Amino acid sequence: MSTAPVTQNRDGDVKRERLTVEGTVQGVGFRPFVYRLAHELGLTGYVQNTPAGVIIEIEGADTPLAAFKKLLEKRRPPQVRFLKLDNTPLTPEGGQGFVIRPSSEAEDTTALVLPDLVVCRDCLREMNDPSDRRYRYPFINCTNCGPRFSITTALPYDRPNTTMARFEMCDACRREYNNPQDRRYHAQAIACQECGPQLALRNAHGKTTAWRDKALLQAAQAVRDGKILALKGLGGFHLICDARNAEAVAALRIRKLRPAKPFAVMYPSLNAVQADCLVLPEEEQLLASAESPIVLLRKKGPPIVAEGVAPDNPHLGVMLPYTPLHHLLMSGLGFPVVATSGNRADEPICIDEDDAIKTLNGIADVFLVHDRPISGRCDDSIVRVMRGRTTVLRRARGYAPLPVVVEHSFAAPVLAVGGHLKNTVALAVRDRVFISPHIGDLDTLEACAAHRAAADLLSRMYRAPADHIIHDLHPDYRSTHMARRCGRNVIAVQHHYAHALSCMAENGVTPPCLAVTWDGAGWGTDNTVWGGEFLKIDASGFERLLHFLPFPLPGGDAAALDPSRAALGMLYVLDGEDAFGRDMGLSRNDAGLMKTALKRGINCPRTSSAGRIFDAVAALTSICRENGFEGQAAMALEFAADAHATTTYDFKIEKGIIDWRPMLRAILSDIDAGATPGAVSGKFHATLAEMIVAAARFVGERTVLLTGGCFQNALLLDHAADALEESGFTVQMHSQVPPNDGGLALGQVMAMASAS
Ligand code: ZN
Ligand code: ZN
Ligand code: FE
């Protein structure tokens, strides 16, 4: 047995330690930082990226070694986040110097693929400096910023495992890349005008008409001229037009077949946002954050943007420029632009320029593209501050694919394929659940292909072929079919149970608890459509303790687009055929068909859906009689509500049923007595909160979860959470993952944790 040389000096004994660092440590300048710190303190050893995280072996006297560990935390680069830091003592080896070892390949991995990072100040300064060699270069980046997830093809995050592999570094870039003192030391996406990706402007026929800066300037001119620009950004294409130009906005709506759903707006600066919107301090932080999401803000008087951007909506979805390319474009324009996903109706966002020219043919007038391929499709994220907390409503760029760390260690990888709407997939590896960026509704072949690609990418990145595949209980979801085609160990999880588990997972809630799970629709264990559920969750599963009185939905799924159908179904339960006397704004033909359907029970599936109750009240109060997009009627009802309503409607709770008939009867008489829609809506929201408290008292669990798409409604959430807290309950809601079906995949994998 050999003895390693152990020396002593006035700083104490020489020691060697191995630090294993997990977290956001790859692709953020962590290794160069460790290198510089070790050199500064005269320590020896090495640092190495491995698929399981960064390993540091560090050797030296006690004092500098202790200083190293302290400064590792204290001075770490801005994007570095530690999830775990393990420390093992080793025998000193007495080597010389400190080196960065080449990355190792290994089997299992829970190292993190970083989300794309917003451009940093240093890079912006260089980009705006005419004497800098990257002046006006739209792909400038460094170890602290730039693309990550959207260019990663495998782990570890090194240039050959990114779509930058095809660009050979020029001598100047290579020198920076290899110089440990340079801020681009080992910046994997390093590039410049000489060697990196370049812009090109294409016309609607796909013909290139300009290159580089000229392409950018001409694209900006097209936007000024009222044209629609398709811009290849970070994780996909944006469709861009002058947000102040009502005609351009209207043209985009017509061409995109998107009549009503609000468009997101990119403003040139925070000041410009503040001129149009109320910006609370937490919202300002979000706008300026490294994630740089779309933040839902309240409009302040009539904004500079056209009414058609977010019609009949008190909110505006706002973001700031986040890539160098966006900064160049927006500083040139100086006014807000619509920046909506570059897709056709419900298809996923386009990522490839040749595809985009075909898919967006007839929508965009010009295409500003570049030759850096996108490997990970990633839409903009959407967040809303509710009850002082950030709630992610669409989780994508900036957040995905960072994992949610859960209090269960999966023995083998588990894949969940999500639901049907707002789909995401999730992969659980040990105690990490990696969630794909938002994919969208699985209504089209393109969406299904993107869904498969997202599942493959996660499995490939983390080299974790899943043992078990989890899907929704709905037999006809495309995600269900995909899971069944995939493999042997396929498990179905009830929709609302998955919502509950998702909320529990991100909040670290242990059962028992009560899950108030309200949404549009989810397949129930009794083969009916659920959606207004009170589930008692315990360690082994769930029990449906209470739910809304079911009602028939004439036309089934078609009712999601037509709030009057839900209203008619509820009225039919209340008054039978007398219900048909009330004017619901239906054509005589439609009304006739629905009456027959209801009387004979043809294509009238019964549902307990809370979302459809919102629709019905919106239709009855004439607030909204057409759902141009999912949730439009419910949103309109929320916006119309008199938020300070204190009186409520009656309801009954009996034999596991929340009977809404007394409420509906009273709503009708309020309407007939001339109550304003706002007053009815306010009272309706307050009543729902009262129902939730009554149900919570009936069930008797201290912890109450508020989950499901209905809890994107800030007024409902506020009323319910306030009332529950006043009655002594502990309320849990979503923050990291959406309350809507975008959060299902997380809950689905957690069902495996409860089952084992
Ligand atoms: Zn930078
Ligand atoms: Zn270069
Ligand atoms: Fe749902």
Side-chain angles (χ1 to χ4, degrees), residues 18 69 122 152 156 158 211 279 409 418 460 499 556 644 655 671 698 701 750:
R18 174 186 292 149
K69 285 188 279 183
D122 291 334
T152 303
D158 279 331
W211 298 93
V279 188
S409 190
R460 205 167 63 236
H499 273 305
H644 305 292
K655 295 185 187 138
I671 292 170
F698 172 83
E701 290 300 341
M750 295 313 290

Side-chain angles (χ1 to χ4, degrees), residues 133-134 168-174 191-196:
R133 72 184 193 90
R134 291 187 179 88
E168 175 102 27
M169 279 180 226
C170 69
D171 290 344
C173 285
R174 189 170 298 282
C192 75
Q193 311 270 17
E194 298 307 311
C195 66

Side-chain angles (χ1 to χ4, degrees), residues 88 119 184 229 303 330 379 396 599 656 692 712 714:
T88 325
V119 59
R184 291 195 174 84
L229 167 71
M330 295 307 292
D379 247 299
K599 280 195 282 192
I692 289 173
Q712 296 173 97

Side-chain angles (χ1 to χ4, degrees), residues 640-655:
D642 167 4
H644 305 292
T646 45
T647 53
T648 54
Y649 296 114
D650 283 343
F651 59 89
K652 276 191 302 195
I653 298 187
E654 238 172 33
K655 295 185 187 138

Side-chain angles (χ1 to χ4, degrees), residues 74 81 85 94 100 124 145 180 232 247 305 343 351 408 416 421 432 462 473 506 526:
K74 211 169 145 195
R81 269 173 272 172
L85 210 164
I100 298 182
L124 277 183
C145 78
K232 185 180 177 189
E247 276 172 45
V305 303
N343 55 6
I351 55 173
H408 174 84
L421 300 175
R432 312 279 157 83
Y462 297 101
L473 188 60
E506 71 155 298
D526 58 358

Side-chain angles (χ1 to χ4, degrees), residues 78-320:
Q79 304 296 348
V80 169
R81 269 173 272 172
F82 297 152
L83 285 178
K84 213 170 180 186
L85 210 164
D86 283 337
N87 192 339
T88 325
L90 300 172
T91 313
E93 291 177 5
Q96 287 210 328
F98 188 93
V99 295
I100 298 182
R101 284 198 185 166
S103 299
S104 85
E105 303 261 342
E107 277 314 303
D108 176 51
T109 165
T110 47
L112 303 185
V113 179
L114 273 199
D116 297 309
L117 303 169
V118 74
V119 59
C120 75
R121 269 166 212 234
D122 291 334
C123 286
L124 277 183
R125 189 174 24 77
E126 289 178 6
M127 188 181 75
N128 291 320
D129 175 359
S131 70
D132 194 276
R133 72 184 193 90
R134 291 187 179 88
Y135 177 57
R136 288 186 66 80
Y137 181 56
F139 303 97
I140 188 171
N141 68 84
C142 70
T143 47
N144 287 330
C145 78
R148 297 292 186 270
F149 170 75
S150 65
I151 60 165
T152 303
T153 51
L155 276 181
Y157 176 72
D158 279 331
R159 192 162 173 115
N161 288 338
T162 71
T163 61
M164 284 299 292
R166 61 157 71 176
F167 297 95
E168 175 102 27
M169 279 180 226
C170 69
D171 290 344
C173 285
R174 189 170 298 282
R175 272 197 302 278
E176 292 170 342
Y177 183 86
N178 287 324
N179 174 9
Q181 304 304 330
D182 194 276
R183 68 184 199 86
R184 291 195 174 84
Y185 179 56
H186 286 192
Q188 306 302 342
I190 190 171
C192 75
Q193 311 270 17
E194 298 307 311
C195 66
Q198 297 294 349
L199 292 176
L201 190 73
R202 297 207 196 167
N203 65 19
H205 306 291
K207 190 171 171 294
T208 302
T209 57
W211 298 93
R212 303 192 172 206
D213 208 32
K214 213 170 144 202
L216 178 76
L217 296 172
Q218 289 184 9
Q221 191 54 45
V223 175
R224 273 187 219 104
D225 292 343
K227 300 236 165 62
I228 293 168
L229 167 71
L231 174 83
K232 185 180 177 189
L234 197 53
F237 273 78
H238 272 147
L239 286 165
I240 286 178
C241 72
D242 182 348
R244 306 164 308 173
N245 182 332
E247 276 172 45
V249 174
L252 181 54
R253 287 213 174 275
I254 290 168
R255 295 188 201 173
K256 222 190 155 190
L257 303 176
R258 181 158 145 159
K261 195 173 175 188
F263 284 137
V265 182
M266 185 178 277
Y267 275 77
S269 66
L270 182 62
N271 279 343
V273 178
Q274 283 164 330
D276 275 359
C277 301
L278 277 173
V279 188
L280 301 174
E282 2 357 349
E283 293 165 337
E284 185 176 326
Q285 267 179 20
L286 282 165
L287 285 170
S289 68
E291 291 80 11
S292 190
I294 296 169
V295 185
L296 292 189
L297 299 175
R298 189 163 270 276
K299 289 176 191 164
K300 177 165 107 172
I304 189 174
V305 303
E307 168 64 17
V309 169
D312 304 318
N313 195 318
H315 296 96
L316 206 54
V318 169
M319 65 184 141
L320 290 175

Side-chain angles (χ1 to χ4, degrees), residues 719-733:
H719 270 315
D722 284 348
L724 284 166
E725 278 167 3
E726 274 163 30
S727 305
F729 294 98
T730 306
V731 179
Q732 297 286 0
M733 50 210 179

